[in-house]
Amino acid sequence: MTQRISMAHGEGGELTHKLIKNVFVRNFNNKEQSRLDAAALPWYQNEIVMTTDSYVVDPLFFPGGNIGKLAVTGTVNDLAVSGAKPIAMTAGFIIEEGFELGDLREIAQSMAMEARLAGVQIIAGDTKVVEKGNADGVFINTTGVGQFHEQRLESEAIKEGDAIIVSGAIGEHGVAIMSAREDLGLMTGLQSDCASLNHLVEEVMNHVEGIRVMRDPTRGGLATTLVELCEDFKFSAELVESTIPVPMEVHGACDILGFDPLYLANEGKIVLVVDAAHEHTILEAIKKHPLGNGAQIIGRVTSCKESSGRLYLKTPIGTTRRLHRLPGMLLPRIC
C-alpha cells in the first residue's frame, strides 16, 4: 500500500480492498460482518441490519438521475442484496458555500421521490456547509436500517454447479457518467440504470428458494464484485463471456476509451449465486419484474475449497483467463 491516499483508493478495486482490509477491518475487528453490504445487529436477535454509504459522484446531475437519487438507491440496494427489507434511512449533507439553492431543492426532491417508490422513510439528517473550494458542490452520506426477510440467504450452502445470474445489462451507469463529463467527448443516449432494487428482491425471495448470496455490482463492476464473492465465500467460478449482457453503446464507449465493460459501475443490477436446482425458477421470477427482464445465467461455481476464491472468464474463442479486482483507477467519483 502506498503511504498516501490516492483517487484509486476510492474506485472499489484492489487498492480499495487493501485499504478496507488493512485499515478499517483490522482496527474495527469486524471481518465477518464485512462480507456483506449490510451488517446484522446482534442486540436485536440478528433480525435488524444496518448499512452506510457516501456519495461524491461527479457530475451531480447525469442522464438517468442525480446524486440524491443515487444516495437513496445505493443504500436501499445495499440492504436489499443483504436479504433485508429496507425500513428507514438518514441523510447527511456536506454543502459547499455558493451552491445553487435550486439545485439542492432538485436533489432533495429526487431523494423524496425515490424513497417513496422504495417504501422507505428518511427520518433524520444533518447539514454542514463548508467554505468555497473545500468541497465540490454537495456530498451526501446515507445510513439505512432494514429487517431480514423471513427467508434467509444460503451463503454457507454454496456448492459446485451453482448458477451465477445477473439481473440485466451491465455498464450503463459507468457510460452515462462518462457521457456527462464533457471533457471526455463521449456522446451517447444511454442513461444510468440507477434504481431501487428492493421490490425486485422481495418479489423473488417471497416466491422462490435457493438464493445463496447477492451483491449489487457498483464500483469495480461485475468482475470485481464476483472476485470479492469468490474470496469472501471460498468458491471459484467461471463466467461465459458470450452470455453476459452488454449493450452496444457500452461496447462502443469501451472500444473508444479502452475500458473493459466487466469493470464498469452499475447502480441498478444484482448478481446472484443460486442453487442449480432452482436456477430456472429464480431466473423467471427475476425476469417478471421490470428491473430484471434482461436477466441471464452467466456462469457457474466450479469448486468450493478453502483454497478456492478465483474467478475465470471463458471467451468466445474458447480460451479462459483469470479475472482480478479492478487493478487501478478506471473512472473516479462514479457514485
Side-chain angles (χ1 to χ4, degrees):
M1 185 185 299
T2 59
Q3 296 303 305
R4 293 182 184 275
I5 295 295
S6 70
M7 291 299 290
H9 283 102
E11 292 314 294
E14 184 64 26
L15 285 180
T16 304
H17 170 73
K18 288 181 178 177
L19 181 70
I20 293 171
K21 177 183 175 183
N22 296 330
V23 177
F24 300 119
V25 173
R26 177 174 295 172
N27 283 286
F28 298 159
N29 192 28
N30 55 4
K31 183 177 180 181
E32 187 64 24
Q33 297 277 30
S34 68
R35 296 197 307 167
L36 295 173
D37 285 339
L41 303 183
W43 311 278
Y44 297 95
Q45 291 75 49
N46 291 319
E47 292 291 331
I48 302 296
V49 293
M50 178 180 284
T51 188
T52 191
D53 211 336
S54 298
Y55 300 87
V56 296
V57 65
D58 176 31
L60 299 175
F61 296 86
F62 51 84
N66 60 47
I67 190 172
K69 180 180 180 181
L70 193 64
V72 173
T73 61
T75 293
V76 165
N77 292 346
D78 282 348
L79 291 167
V81 298
S82 299
K85 179 180 180 179
I87 299 171
M89 60 192 300
T90 66
F93 297 83
I94 297 175
I95 308 167
E96 184 182 21
E97 179 187 23
F99 191 66
E100 291 283 346
L101 190 57
D103 287 345
L104 189 61
R105 284 199 184 98
E106 186 173 345
I107 289 168
Q109 288 166 357
S110 294
M111 295 181 74
M113 179 181 294
E114 191 61 32
R116 281 196 296 273
L117 291 172
V120 176
Q121 290 195 36
I122 301 175
I123 57 171
D126 180 58
T127 302
K128 297 288 190 297
V129 177
V130 297
E131 296 88 346
K132 191 172 182 61
N134 286 357
D136 190 4
V138 61
F139 300 149
I140 302 176
N141 173 268
T142 49
T143 296
V145 175
Q147 184 172 18
F148 277 123
H149 291 284
E150 186 174 331
Q151 182 189 159
R152 296 294 184 93
L153 301 181
E154 303 170 355
S155 58
E156 302 306 321
I158 293 173
K159 63 183 180 183
E160 188 175 328
D162 281 353
I164 298 172
I165 295 174
V166 67
S167 62
I170 64 168
E172 293 169 331
H173 179 72
V175 172
I177 294 296
M178 285 190 281
S179 69
R181 292 181 182 174
E182 296 179 355
D183 55 327
L184 292 177
L186 182 67
M187 290 179 286
T188 171
L190 204 63
Q191 295 205 334
S192 169
D193 59 348
C194 180
S196 295
L197 297 164
N198 57 316
H199 296 311
L200 166 61
V201 170
E202 188 171 352
E203 183 69 18
V204 176
M205 292 195 72
N206 283 346
H207 293 93
V208 297
E209 299 177 354
I211 299 176
R212 309 294 201 201
V213 67
M214 296 183 282
R215 282 273 175 86
D216 52 337
T218 55
R219 289 179 306 167
L222 182 69
T224 300
T225 299
L226 280 168
V227 168
E228 289 177 350
L229 283 177
C230 287
E231 293 182 358
D232 289 346
F233 295 94
K234 310 297 182 188
F235 67 88
S236 291
E238 182 179 88
L239 303 180
V240 179
E241 187 173 4
S242 61
T243 64
I244 300 172
V246 182
M248 288 301 296
E249 295 94 331
V250 174
H251 270 304
C254 288
D255 287 344
I256 292 171
L257 299 171
F259 292 163
D260 185 337
L262 296 180
Y263 291 94
L264 288 181
N266 311 273
E267 292 294 341
K269 298 298 183 299
I270 315 171
V271 58
L272 311 90
V273 179
V274 307
D275 185 348
H278 299 283
E279 64 184 49
H280 294 299
T281 306
I282 294 171
L283 183 64
E284 290 309 310
I286 296 172
K287 283 186 169 183
K288 286 181 180 177
H289 194 280
L291 294 177
N293 56 18
Q296 298 277 354
I297 295 174
I298 60 171
R300 293 197 179 274
V301 174
T302 55
S303 71
C304 295
K305 300 176 183 176
E306 190 64 26
S307 58
S308 298
R310 296 182 176 187
L311 180 67
Y312 297 93
L313 180 72
K314 188 172 184 178
T315 71
I317 60 173
T319 59
T320 301
R321 66 183 173 98
R322 185 176 174 185
L323 297 175
H324 300 272
R325 285 186 180 82
L326 178 66
M329 186 169 66
L330 191 64
L331 196 66
R333 297 181 59 183
I334 196 75
C335 61

